[in-house]
């Protein structure tokens, strides 16, 4: 069985992608999983049904900016790997409040690297050779593409938002800790994810929830910004594969090879909602165009050749199958997102600079 006898730290495990990684690790591998999460507004332990009583799972409420707290956890659990998914992740929020992004994404990653290095140096040689630090990042670090071309692992960094700049900084720290201190790090840069348990502020859940209530569907700018959408469970599987088989010091791009404009995404959601829960008028009539996000990157698209060739990973869902699953999940799991709305989260337009 994969990861037999191994303990894996998953930071940000109460978030959208981290929880998918933990569900996958518990269901499909033998790893012991320690979820390290500060529980910000974006966290939700209800995204880990059954985990609390699972014999191979533990939760630690812990900020990755707190070195002493992290040190205690390294000493207590003696992990074989760290998967770093703890982050501030919403571009619009980063425009209004960049400090939190620098704090967690840059200083938090720095602190985690320092504590991982301190711990790694104390390990016996065999454990030291086996240890891995996998940092999870975004394709947004590469900036914006024109109508043609794909991001590869060789694309130069050109981040445009406070969010992507903070992620780019953390990627550089991870690389430097490998080059300078030989900490065995790996890095992934992934395109936009979607799927079950995504926080309602992100495009796809936001539109599903508004569409279900027959509310207007606000699309930024002309709706022609293109993203390369990846179903979150495919991302989770890519990450465990990189951890297991990736070469130390390497970067792997991960994407869904499913380019869609924002307007196309919203129209697909409308059509699926019309099929599941017909309304008096087609949902497409609810689309409205609103002021664009400042610095809104036009197009992201990923060349997944390296991870497919070298690690044998392939996305199992295409955009249509993944979106149908996602819309159905949000329709069938209303308590999950209604609890978030009831906690006081209200989506107001932010990030206009
Ligand atoms: P998320 O916002 O859903 O979850 C982030 C989690 O990190 C939350 O549970 C939060 O409580 C936790 N966290 C935040 N600050 C922390 C801190 N200081 N200490 C400990 N925990 C903290 O984010 P996500 O969408 O799951 O993204 C996870 C990672 O994947 C991020 O690094 C993000 O940059 C990257 N990524 C996301 C996408 C995407 O489409 N969502 C795509 C590519 C890469």
């Amino acid at each position: 069985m994969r990861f037999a006898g191994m303990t894996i730290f998953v930071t940000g495990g109460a978030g959208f992608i981290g929880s998918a990684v933990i569900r996958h690790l518990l269901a499909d591998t033998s790893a012991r999983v320690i979820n390290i999460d500060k529980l910000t507004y974006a966290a939700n332990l209800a995204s880990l049904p059954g985990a609390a009583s699972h014999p191979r799972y533990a939760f630690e409420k812990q900020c990755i900016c707190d070195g002493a707290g992290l040190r205690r956890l390294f000493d207590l659990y003696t992990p074989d790997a760290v998967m770093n998914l703890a982050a501030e992740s919403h571009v619009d929020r980063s425009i209004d409040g960049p400090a939190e992004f620098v704090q967690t994404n840059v200083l938090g990653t720095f602190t985690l690297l320092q504590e991982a290095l301190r711990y790694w140096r104390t390990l016996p040689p065999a454990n030291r050779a086996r240890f891995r630090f996998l940092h999870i990042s975004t394709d947004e670090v590469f900036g914006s593409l024109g109508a043609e071309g794909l991001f590869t692992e060789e694309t130069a960094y050109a981040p445009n938002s406070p969010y992507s700049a903070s992620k780019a900084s953390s990627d550089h720290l991870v690389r430097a800790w490998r080059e300078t201190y030989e900490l065995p790090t790996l890095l992934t840069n992934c395109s936009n994810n979607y799927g079950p348990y995504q926080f309602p502020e992100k495009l796809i859940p936001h539109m599903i929830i508004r569409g279900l209530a027959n509310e207007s569907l606000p699309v930024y700018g002309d709706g022609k910004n293109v993203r390369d959408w990846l179903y979150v469970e495919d991302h989770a599987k890519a990450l465990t594969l990189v951890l297991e088989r990736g070469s130390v010091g390497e970067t792997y791009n991960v994407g869904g090879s499913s380019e869609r404009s924002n307007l196309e995404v919203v129209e697909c959601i409308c059509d699926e909602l019309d099929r599941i829960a017909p309304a008096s008028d087609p949902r497409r009539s609810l689309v409205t165009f609103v002021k664009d996000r400042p610095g809104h990157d036009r197009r992201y698209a990923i060349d997944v050749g390296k991870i497919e060739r070298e690690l044998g990973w392939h996305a199992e869902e295409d955009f249509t199958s993944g979106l149908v699953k996602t819309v159905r999940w949000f329709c069938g799991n209303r308590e999950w997102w209604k609890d978030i709305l009831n906690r006081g989260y209200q989506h107001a337009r932010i990030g206009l600079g």
Side-chain angles (χ1 to χ4, degrees):
M1 192 65 160
R2 299 173 67 199
F3 303 125
M6 284 180 66
T7 296
I8 301 178
F9 277 7
V10 178
T11 72
F16 169 48
I17 301 172
S19 68
V21 168
I22 293 180
R23 292 192 302 273
H24 166 50
L25 283 170
L26 293 178
D28 304 322
T29 81
S30 300
R32 179 168 73 137
V33 181
I34 315 300
N35 178 4
I36 297 174
D37 199 296
K38 178 185 172 182
L39 300 184
T40 69
Y41 80 95
N44 195 342
L45 290 171
S47 304
L48 293 162
S53 57
H54 197 290
R56 288 187 283 109
Y57 172 85
F59 171 68
E60 293 283 351
K61 184 166 188 242
Q62 175 64 55
C63 177
I64 60 163
C65 304
D66 167 13
L70 289 175
R71 187 171 300 192
R72 184 184 72 79
L73 298 182
F74 275 105
D75 293 343
L76 181 63
Y77 292 107
T78 60
D80 303 283
V82 175
M83 301 173 82
N84 182 29
L85 295 109
E88 289 293 334
S89 69
H90 190 44
V91 178
D92 285 342
R93 283 180 190 264
S94 81
I95 295 169
D96 290 345
E100 202 61 36
F101 287 71
V102 174
Q103 185 66 31
T104 284
N105 299 359
V106 184
L107 295 177
T109 301
F110 160 73
T111 309
L112 188 61
L113 282 166
Q114 283 290 74
E115 290 307 320
L117 178 64
R118 184 205 61 81
Y119 162 77
W120 176 71
R121 284 176 164 165
T122 67
L123 291 175
N127 301 55
R128 205 182 305 174
R130 196 169 62 165
F131 185 84
R132 296 286 182 272
F133 185 109
L134 171 57
H135 179 66
I136 286 75
S137 190
T138 167
D139 62 353
E140 302 192 26
V141 298
F142 300 125
S144 188
L145 288 166
E148 302 290 321
L150 301 171
F151 295 134
T152 73
E153 287 78 3
E154 276 71 51
T155 303
Y157 276 39
N160 291 318
S161 72
Y163 163 67
S164 54
S166 69
K167 291 297 295 184
S169 310
S170 65
D171 293 6
H172 293 323
L173 292 174
V174 169
R175 177 190 162 86
W177 261 240
R178 156 79 194 144
E179 294 297 319
T180 305
Y181 307 112
E182 297 181 4
L183 184 69
T185 66
L186 300 103
L187 182 62
T188 55
N189 294 94
C190 186
S191 60
N192 282 46
N193 283 213
Y194 67 100
Y197 301 106
Q198 189 166 27
F199 194 80
E201 70 189 349
K202 301 285 169 66
L203 177 73
I204 289 182
H206 183 57
M207 293 296 169
I208 296 172
I209 291 169
R210 289 188 70 93
L212 267 176
N214 286 301
E215 291 170 356
S216 66
L217 302 175
V219 173
Y220 291 180
D222 61 6
K224 291 187 181 152
N225 300 67
V226 170
R227 300 293 180 260
D228 175 354
W229 292 92
L230 178 67
Y231 192 64
V232 68
E233 291 176 13
D234 279 324
H235 188 193
K237 289 174 190 162
L239 295 178
T240 60
L241 212 53
V242 171
L243 188 65
E244 194 175 32
R245 298 197 205 147
S247 299
V248 166
E250 289 293 316
T251 289
Y252 297 88
N253 282 356
V254 192
S257 305
S258 290
E259 287 185 52
R260 295 288 186 286
S261 71
N262 287 346
L263 183 59
E264 286 171 327
V265 169
V266 174
E267 288 177 345
C268 286
I269 293 169
C270 289
D271 298 347
E272 189 55 24
L273 284 176
D274 287 346
R275 270 190 284 278
I276 299 172
S280 50
D281 293 316
R283 300 282 197 317
R284 286 185 184 217
S285 63
L286 299 172
V287 170
T288 55
F289 293 93
V290 299
K291 194 169 168 15
D292 207 355
R293 166 194 286 165
H296 199 180
D297 289 334
R298 196 63 175 167
R299 176 171 165 263
Y300 305 139
I302 290 267
D303 177 348
V304 288
K306 180 175 176 181
I307 190 169
E308 289 192 344
R309 259 189 332 270
E310 296 187 10
L311 305 185
W313 174 85
H314 295 278
E316 290 168 25
E317 301 290 343
D318 62 27
F319 185 71
T320 307
S321 65
L323 192 77
V324 167
K325 278 189 179 178
T326 304
V327 173
R328 286 173 187 231
W329 188 88
F330 275 90
C331 291
N333 291 274
R334 298 184 195 213
E335 336 68 61
W336 182 87
W337 52 266
K338 282 192 172 164
D339 275 356
I340 295 172
L341 303 187
N342 292 340
R343 267 192 253 145
Y345 166 74
Q346 289 300 330
H347 187 91
R349 181 72 200 270
I350 56 170
L352 285 168

